[in-house]
Amino acid sequence: VAGWAAAVYLLGTDAGADATARVLRGPYVESAYRHGWRHWYRDEPGAPWVEKLDHGKVAR
């Protein structure tokens, strides 16, 4: 298992009153599709996050 995240998915919005950032749920492991969630990938630790759209296109 890698010690860093290669992908991040936006599952929803935190509507809590706590001002501290936190993971809503994770790690999220599922073999299904992305269900329309926004998602970002990177190739190595410290690399920039790149948002991908459906069908592999990169967001601009």
Side-chain angles (χ1 to χ4, degrees), residues 39-59:
H39 50 290
W40 296 262
Y41 295 96
R42 63 182 179 174
D43 295 326
E44 58 188 36
W49 289 103
V50 178
E51 183 173 7
K52 302 275 179 104
L53 303 174
D54 288 336
H55 309 296
K57 295 181 181 176
V58 176

Side-chain angles (χ1 to χ4, degrees), residues 2-36:
W4 58 280
V8 175
Y9 297 84
L10 179 63
L11 302 180
T13 302
D14 181 4
D18 189 2
T20 305
R22 57 201 157 116
V23 174
L24 295 178
R25 123 180 161 186
Y28 188 77
V29 179
E30 185 177 308
S31 59
Y33 294 100
R34 291 180 304 277
H35 305 289

